[in-house]
Every structure is written in C-alpha cells, then in structure tokens.
Amino acid sequence: MTTADTALAELLNSRIRDVPDYPKPGVLFKDIAPLLADAEAFGALTRALADRARELGATKVVGLEARGFVLAAPAAFAAGLGFVPIRKQGKLPGEVFRRSYELEYGSATLEVQCDAFAPGEKVLVVDDVLATGGTIGASLDLVKQAGAELAGVVVLMELGFLDGRERLAEHLDGAPLETLVTV
C-alpha cells in the first residue's frame, strides 16, 4: 500500500461511523453517511474510483443497489464513463438478465438490462461493502451474462472477518478485487 493509499484509507475510515446494535442487537453497523456528507472525503473517494476505472481501461462503471449507486455514478461521471445500475428484482424495465443468490437468511435476485453493455465492453464494478460476497458474486455473473468483460471490482469497505474475498475468487476470472478500507 502506498502512502497515498494509506492516507485515503485513513481519511475514509475517519468518516465511517460505528453504530452499535443496528439493525439488530450484536451487530456493529458501519454507517457511510458521514463520509458522503463530507465534501473532502466524498470527493477523494470519487476521484480514487474514477482514477481506478481509467487505469483498468473500463468503458462503464456498474453500481450495485443501493449504496453502490451513490459511489459508482459520480465516479463514472468523473471518469467520463457511463453508469449501469444492477438492481433488485422487478426494478428495471424491459428485458433483463437475472441472477439469484443466497443470503444469510433466505435468497435475493438481482437484475441488469440485457442491452446495458456492448459486447466486450470492460466494466468496473463498485459497491460500498464486501461482506460474504453473495451480492457482488451474483453481479459479476450478470455482467458476464450481459456480454461485458470484468475490468475489476472496487469496494469502499471489506468486512474481512466474513471471508467474502475467498468466495468471489471463482467469479473474478483474474480481474482485481480492491478495497479501500478493511475492517
């Protein structure tokens, strides 16, 4: 990790608030609202994501519902790229590809529009948190199903104790998985 990477991680981490016992007792929620409300920190995050999209040769930036939208859309704009949302089932019009995945208690389904990417387009996937890897893994499968190539994945925060990184290995096809803050 470079000095710049360390400084960015420290800035971002200093703006992430711990909320004990939310959404249920025993859970320590990592609230990014203070980071988003701070122009310096949010700007630094947006620039870092945009720089990474350009460095990886991405032609589109994908954001995962819902907080991933807040990070990916400004990064796409700053990089001069288009933004594509991956949403929960039933939220997108037209023809969609869909992928279901397992959650801790049940399952969920994500969708992307079938015409979201030109064949072979390179995509950077951005999300706020890497926990168990289910949501990101399903999203990576959708990107490939829609005909795009994965340039990489960048997440704001990784909950390292949940081993999501290991679960994503089979979905990455050698593309980099990067986190800005590890908890």
mmCIF file of all heavy atoms in Angstrom, residues 3 8 17 23 27 31 63 67 76 79 82 84 89 94 102 104-105 114 127 134 137 153 158-160 165 171 173:
data_model
loop_
_atom_site.group_PDB
_atom_site.id
_atom_site.type_symbol
_atom_site.label_atom_id
_atom_site.label_comp_id
_atom_site.label_asym_id
_atom_site.label_seq_id
_atom_site.Cartn_x
_atom_site.Cartn_y
_atom_site.Cartn_z
ATOM 1 N N THR A 3 1.774 5.428 0.280
ATOM 2 C CA THR A 3 1.442 6.476 1.249
ATOM 3 C C THR A 3 0.108 7.126 0.897
ATOM 4 O O THR A 3 -0.716 7.401 1.776
ATOM 5 C CB THR A 3 2.560 7.535 1.283
ATOM 6 O OG1 THR A 3 3.790 6.873 1.596
ATOM 7 C CG2 THR A 3 2.276 8.607 2.309
ATOM 8 N N LEU A 8 -5.593 7.940 1.990
ATOM 9 C CA LEU A 8 -7.000 7.844 1.574
ATOM 10 C C LEU A 8 -7.774 6.934 2.519
ATOM 11 O O LEU A 8 -8.865 7.284 2.969
ATOM 12 C CB LEU A 8 -7.102 7.331 0.134
ATOM 13 C CG LEU A 8 -8.524 7.102 -0.377
ATOM 14 C CD1 LEU A 8 -9.316 8.408 -0.417
ATOM 15 C CD2 LEU A 8 -8.484 6.444 -1.760
ATOM 16 N N ARG A 17 -18.870 5.934 10.498
ATOM 17 C CA ARG A 17 -19.323 5.902 11.889
ATOM 18 C C ARG A 17 -19.783 4.495 12.279
ATOM 19 O O ARG A 17 -20.500 3.832 11.526
ATOM 20 C CB ARG A 17 -20.482 6.885 12.049
ATOM 21 C CG ARG A 17 -21.140 6.875 13.399
ATOM 22 C CD ARG A 17 -22.238 7.900 13.550
ATOM 23 N NE ARG A 17 -23.133 7.936 12.397
ATOM 24 C CZ ARG A 17 -23.826 9.010 12.027
ATOM 25 N NH1 ARG A 17 -23.714 10.138 12.686
ATOM 26 N NH2 ARG A 17 -24.631 8.961 10.993
ATOM 27 N N PRO A 23 -28.644 -3.294 12.497
ATOM 28 C CA PRO A 23 -30.096 -3.195 12.634
ATOM 29 C C PRO A 23 -30.678 -4.127 13.694
ATOM 30 O O PRO A 23 -31.887 -4.127 13.898
ATOM 31 C CB PRO A 23 -30.594 -3.601 11.241
ATOM 32 C CG PRO A 23 -29.567 -4.548 10.732
ATOM 33 C CD PRO A 23 -28.258 -4.073 11.313
ATOM 34 N N VAL A 27 -24.938 -6.456 16.298
ATOM 35 C CA VAL A 27 -24.357 -6.053 15.019
ATOM 36 C C VAL A 27 -23.748 -4.659 15.172
ATOM 37 O O VAL A 27 -24.366 -3.767 15.740
ATOM 38 C CB VAL A 27 -25.426 -6.034 13.900
ATOM 39 C CG1 VAL A 27 -24.858 -5.452 12.607
ATOM 40 C CG2 VAL A 27 -25.964 -7.433 13.666
ATOM 41 N N ASP A 31 -21.690 2.951 9.187
ATOM 42 C CA ASP A 31 -22.504 3.975 8.537
ATOM 43 C C ASP A 31 -21.622 4.890 7.695
ATOM 44 O O ASP A 31 -20.737 5.582 8.231
ATOM 45 C CB ASP A 31 -23.234 4.778 9.611
ATOM 46 C CG ASP A 31 -24.151 5.844 9.055
ATOM 47 O OD1 ASP A 31 -24.447 5.820 7.832
ATOM 48 O OD2 ASP A 31 -24.582 6.705 9.845
ATOM 49 N N GLY A 63 -22.820 0.056 -10.626
ATOM 50 C CA GLY A 63 -23.088 0.235 -9.206
ATOM 51 C C GLY A 63 -24.175 -0.724 -8.763
ATOM 52 O O GLY A 63 -25.124 -0.981 -9.500
ATOM 53 N N ARG A 67 -26.524 1.517 -2.109
ATOM 54 C CA ARG A 67 -25.445 2.455 -1.802
ATOM 55 C C ARG A 67 -24.342 2.419 -2.852
ATOM 56 O O ARG A 67 -23.625 3.404 -3.024
ATOM 57 C CB ARG A 67 -24.886 2.208 -0.405
ATOM 58 C CG ARG A 67 -25.905 2.555 0.675
ATOM 59 C CD ARG A 67 -25.360 2.517 2.052
ATOM 60 N NE ARG A 67 -24.870 1.201 2.419
ATOM 61 C CZ ARG A 67 -24.386 0.889 3.599
ATOM 62 N NH1 ARG A 67 -24.316 1.802 4.549
ATOM 63 N NH2 ARG A 67 -23.964 -0.318 3.857
ATOM 64 N N ALA A 76 -18.259 7.309 -12.238
ATOM 65 C CA ALA A 76 -18.407 7.158 -13.696
ATOM 66 C C ALA A 76 -18.371 8.522 -14.362
ATOM 67 O O ALA A 76 -17.664 8.725 -15.358
ATOM 68 C CB ALA A 76 -19.709 6.430 -14.021
ATOM 69 N N ALA A 79 -14.921 10.008 -14.382
ATOM 70 C CA ALA A 79 -14.025 9.298 -15.305
ATOM 71 C C ALA A 79 -14.435 9.490 -16.759
ATOM 72 O O ALA A 79 -13.747 9.021 -17.668
ATOM 73 C CB ALA A 79 -14.007 7.807 -14.966
ATOM 74 N N GLY A 82 -19.941 5.905 -18.792
ATOM 75 C CA GLY A 82 -21.341 5.649 -18.494
ATOM 76 C C GLY A 82 -21.485 4.850 -17.212
ATOM 77 O O GLY A 82 -20.562 4.182 -16.755
ATOM 78 N N VAL A 84 -24.024 2.017 -15.157
ATOM 79 C CA VAL A 84 -25.053 0.986 -15.302
ATOM 80 C C VAL A 84 -25.445 0.496 -13.906
ATOM 81 O O VAL A 84 -24.583 0.062 -13.135
ATOM 82 C CB VAL A 84 -24.550 -0.211 -16.142
ATOM 83 C CG1 VAL A 84 -25.575 -1.344 -16.147
ATOM 84 C CG2 VAL A 84 -24.222 0.234 -17.559
ATOM 85 N N GLN A 89 -34.683 -7.384 -8.049
ATOM 86 C CA GLN A 89 -35.669 -7.909 -8.989
ATOM 87 C C GLN A 89 -36.897 -7.008 -9.089
ATOM 88 O O GLN A 89 -37.415 -6.518 -8.090
ATOM 89 C CB GLN A 89 -36.092 -9.306 -8.559
ATOM 90 C CG GLN A 89 -37.009 -9.986 -9.547
ATOM 91 C CD GLN A 89 -37.268 -11.441 -9.179
ATOM 92 O OE1 GLN A 89 -36.891 -11.911 -8.124
ATOM 93 N NE2 GLN A 89 -37.913 -12.152 -10.069
ATOM 94 N N GLY A 94 -38.055 -3.427 -19.238
ATOM 95 C CA GLY A 94 -37.533 -4.120 -20.413
ATOM 96 C C GLY A 94 -36.963 -5.496 -20.098
ATOM 97 O O GLY A 94 -37.152 -6.039 -19.009
ATOM 98 N N GLU A 102 -27.829 -16.665 -2.495
ATOM 99 C CA GLU A 102 -28.220 -16.938 -1.114
ATOM 100 C C GLU A 102 -27.750 -15.826 -0.182
ATOM 101 O O GLU A 102 -26.641 -15.318 -0.308
ATOM 102 C CB GLU A 102 -27.641 -18.275 -0.643
ATOM 103 C CG GLU A 102 -28.191 -19.481 -1.398
ATOM 104 C CD GLU A 102 -29.699 -19.582 -1.343
ATOM 105 O OE1 GLU A 102 -30.267 -19.469 -0.237
ATOM 106 O OE2 GLU A 102 -30.315 -19.768 -2.407
ATOM 107 N N GLU A 104 -27.819 -14.667 4.179
ATOM 108 C CA GLU A 104 -27.713 -15.336 5.470
ATOM 109 C C GLU A 104 -29.040 -15.993 5.856
ATOM 110 O O GLU A 104 -29.070 -17.109 6.350
ATOM 111 C CB GLU A 104 -27.284 -14.320 6.531
ATOM 112 C CG GLU A 104 -26.942 -14.951 7.851
ATOM 113 C CD GLU A 104 -26.404 -13.940 8.849
ATOM 114 O OE1 GLU A 104 -26.076 -12.802 8.440
ATOM 115 O OE2 GLU A 104 -26.331 -14.295 10.028
ATOM 116 N N TYR A 105 -30.150 -15.286 5.578
ATOM 117 C CA TYR A 105 -31.475 -15.817 5.905
ATOM 118 C C TYR A 105 -32.369 -15.704 4.682
ATOM 119 O O TYR A 105 -33.181 -14.786 4.580
ATOM 120 C CB TYR A 105 -32.110 -15.037 7.070
ATOM 121 C CG TYR A 105 -31.291 -15.072 8.318
ATOM 122 C CD1 TYR A 105 -30.559 -13.970 8.735
ATOM 123 C CD2 TYR A 105 -31.225 -16.226 9.082
ATOM 124 C CE1 TYR A 105 -29.796 -14.003 9.888
ATOM 125 C CE2 TYR A 105 -30.473 -16.277 10.237
ATOM 126 C CZ TYR A 105 -29.759 -15.164 10.637
ATOM 127 O OH TYR A 105 -29.009 -15.215 11.776
ATOM 128 N N CYS A 114 -30.682 -6.262 -20.419
ATOM 129 C CA CYS A 114 -29.976 -7.059 -21.423
ATOM 130 C C CYS A 114 -29.131 -6.207 -22.367
ATOM 131 O O CYS A 114 -28.107 -6.674 -22.859
ATOM 132 C CB CYS A 114 -30.965 -7.894 -22.234
ATOM 133 S SG CYS A 114 -31.766 -9.204 -21.279
ATOM 134 N N ASP A 127 -19.043 -1.139 -5.252
ATOM 135 C CA ASP A 127 -20.049 -1.267 -4.199
ATOM 136 C C ASP A 127 -19.494 -0.692 -2.909
ATOM 137 O O ASP A 127 -18.292 -0.399 -2.811
ATOM 138 C CB ASP A 127 -20.473 -2.727 -4.022
ATOM 139 C CG ASP A 127 -21.856 -2.865 -3.380
ATOM 140 O OD1 ASP A 127 -22.570 -1.852 -3.231
ATOM 141 O OD2 ASP A 127 -22.232 -3.996 -3.027
ATOM 142 N N GLY A 134 -21.943 -12.603 -1.638
ATOM 143 C CA GLY A 134 -23.097 -13.060 -2.419
ATOM 144 C C GLY A 134 -23.597 -12.045 -3.429
ATOM 145 O O GLY A 134 -23.804 -12.367 -4.603
ATOM 146 N N GLY A 137 -20.833 -11.363 -6.096
ATOM 147 C CA GLY A 137 -20.681 -12.545 -6.951
ATOM 148 C C GLY A 137 -21.801 -12.651 -7.974
ATOM 149 O O GLY A 137 -21.550 -12.896 -9.165
ATOM 150 N N VAL A 153 -13.076 -4.924 -9.649
ATOM 151 C CA VAL A 153 -14.065 -4.623 -8.612
ATOM 152 C C VAL A 153 -13.372 -3.754 -7.572
ATOM 153 O O VAL A 153 -12.264 -4.074 -7.136
ATOM 154 C CB VAL A 153 -14.585 -5.908 -7.927
ATOM 155 C CG1 VAL A 153 -15.579 -5.571 -6.817
ATOM 156 C CG2 VAL A 153 -15.184 -6.865 -8.933
ATOM 157 N N GLU A 158 -14.273 -3.543 3.174
ATOM 158 C CA GLU A 158 -14.341 -5.006 3.227
ATOM 159 C C GLU A 158 -14.421 -5.446 4.678
ATOM 160 O O GLU A 158 -13.602 -5.035 5.502
ATOM 161 C CB GLU A 158 -13.105 -5.626 2.581
ATOM 162 C CG GLU A 158 -13.098 -7.142 2.625
ATOM 163 C CD GLU A 158 -11.908 -7.759 1.917
ATOM 164 O OE1 GLU A 158 -11.099 -7.027 1.312
ATOM 165 O OE2 GLU A 158 -11.794 -8.996 1.959
ATOM 166 N N LEU A 159 -15.402 -6.280 4.979
ATOM 167 C CA LEU A 159 -15.518 -6.892 6.301
ATOM 168 C C LEU A 159 -14.739 -8.194 6.231
ATOM 169 O O LEU A 159 -15.287 -9.258 5.929
ATOM 170 C CB LEU A 159 -16.984 -7.121 6.666
ATOM 171 C CG LEU A 159 -17.893 -5.885 6.584
ATOM 172 C CD1 LEU A 159 -19.318 -6.229 6.968
ATOM 173 C CD2 LEU A 159 -17.350 -4.746 7.431
ATOM 174 N N GLY A 160 -13.433 -8.104 6.455
ATOM 175 C CA GLY A 160 -12.512 -9.212 6.240
ATOM 176 C C GLY A 160 -12.836 -10.469 7.018
ATOM 177 O O GLY A 160 -12.553 -11.577 6.560
ATOM 178 N N ARG A 165 -14.032 -12.312 0.197
ATOM 179 C CA ARG A 165 -12.995 -12.298 -0.835
ATOM 180 C C ARG A 165 -12.748 -13.707 -1.379
ATOM 181 O O ARG A 165 -12.651 -13.910 -2.590
ATOM 182 C CB ARG A 165 -11.711 -11.700 -0.263
ATOM 183 C CG ARG A 165 -10.560 -11.658 -1.229
ATOM 184 C CD ARG A 165 -9.371 -10.947 -0.605
ATOM 185 N NE ARG A 165 -9.614 -9.531 -0.423
ATOM 186 C CZ ARG A 165 -9.381 -8.616 -1.354
ATOM 187 N NH1 ARG A 165 -8.904 -8.973 -2.529
ATOM 188 N NH2 ARG A 165 -9.630 -7.347 -1.109
ATOM 189 N N HIS A 171 -15.581 -15.993 -9.356
ATOM 190 C CA HIS A 171 -16.349 -15.059 -10.191
ATOM 191 C C HIS A 171 -15.467 -14.015 -10.877
ATOM 192 O O HIS A 171 -15.903 -13.351 -11.807
ATOM 193 C CB HIS A 171 -17.398 -14.318 -9.342
ATOM 194 C CG HIS A 171 -18.365 -15.216 -8.651
ATOM 195 N ND1 HIS A 171 -19.518 -15.670 -9.241
ATOM 196 C CD2 HIS A 171 -18.333 -15.760 -7.408
ATOM 197 C CE1 HIS A 171 -20.174 -16.442 -8.393
ATOM 198 N NE2 HIS A 171 -19.479 -16.507 -7.282
ATOM 199 N N ASP A 173 -12.409 -14.258 -12.489
ATOM 200 C CA ASP A 173 -11.673 -14.598 -13.718
ATOM 201 C C ASP A 173 -10.364 -13.827 -13.833
ATOM 202 O O ASP A 173 -10.001 -13.336 -14.905
ATOM 203 C CB ASP A 173 -12.532 -14.355 -14.966
ATOM 204 C CG ASP A 173 -13.721 -15.298 -15.044
ATOM 205 O OD1 ASP A 173 -13.640 -16.401 -14.478
ATOM 206 O OD2 ASP A 173 -14.731 -14.920 -15.664
#
